[in-house]
Amino acid sequence: MVEAYSIPVTKIEHSRLPGITLENIPFGRTFTDHMLEADYENGEWKNVEIKPYQPLMVSPSLAAIHYGQSIFEGIKAYKNEAGEAYIFRPYDNYKRFNLSAARMEMPDVPEDIFIEGMRQLIALDKDWIPAQENHSLYIRPFMFSSDEMIGVRASEKYKFMIILSPTGPYYSAPMRIYVEEKYTRAAPGGVGFAKAAGNYAAAMYVTAQAKKQGYDQVLWTDVYEHKYVQEIGTMNVFFVIGDTAVTPELSAGTILAGVTRDSVMTILEEMGLRVEEKPVSVDMLMDAYKAGELREVFGTGTAATVSLIRELKYKDFVMSFDTGTWKVTPEIKSRLDAIREGRAADKYGWMFKV
Ligand SMILES: *Cc1c(COP(=O)(O)O)cnc(C)c1O
């Protein structure tokens, strides 16, 4: 078979893998032998190549550093028992990447570079995908403006890259969440729906304040009334109320449309729960809590899959949960993990073979 699009490869001389233990490897600190790099210049993508992972040389006037035209994605690849590698729903991330790019006045990245480049890069570094349960290869595609000029305008040059990081189980203890009613993350008309670097920079201070008070993360609320909830840190949020799972709807463009969110909605329906996307007010949550109907609260995202929430604090009102008795959240995680690790049938066509 002729490869659709073959990217030039410079291989590393000696793999660093023999010196590394993949079992329980911490998230985001170790990178594989190779990376993908491409440049956008004069209206076209060029210099697409796969080469040894290495530092970048950049000018101090690099536009991305000053004005923050920078976006990214987070995706995971898994190895099944037969040793075959699969990427989880990469086309969904690809579409979202180009939506983020459009909002930040950056060029589209073609499928040949994003998807096929990712596939070829992972095929080359396949031995870096840990095979143990709850382990995976985290894939980080990103793009930033690369004009070397100080002046506020959309850059003419961009760099697109993909780096890979093996990761072990992302254990996070059930979280205490502070419902934020002073600072905000995203307003209608803003960039909340985009995976834009600046969104994360703007959240650091607020998260640090919450941590000082003993919370793990904040639950963002709407900018007008601080009444409707949006998402938790870098995770979408779900509330199980009676036999219904409720998650905030996306139409205002203030919430990042998670691929995990979408997958979890499918799994919840498969489990026989009703799923509702709608505006979710803190008042409604407190009423459900007081009535004993608010059963489970969890966050969803690629890094952790699902994270249990054991406490929600809004003004002086504390909603606390005994996560040890929960049924729905652990079941979602186990069903999703089974599909991703190749232990259950891929009935929704989510797994893309490397
Ligand atoms: C990435 C991200 C999510 C989760 O998206 P997934 O596609 O499920 O990983 C949710 N919220 C924010 C702000 C994010 O950046």
Side-chain angles (χ1 to χ4, degrees), residues 72-74 93 96 185 192 195 200 231-236 256-261 300-303:
F72 67 97
E73 269 303 329
N93 297 85
R96 187 170 73 192
R185 173 182 179 275
K195 239 173 156 66
Y200 305 85
E231 52 186 322
I232 292 178
T234 59
M235 286 187 293
N236 296 115
L256 199 291
V259 178
T260 317
R261 174 185 182 275
T300 67
T302 295

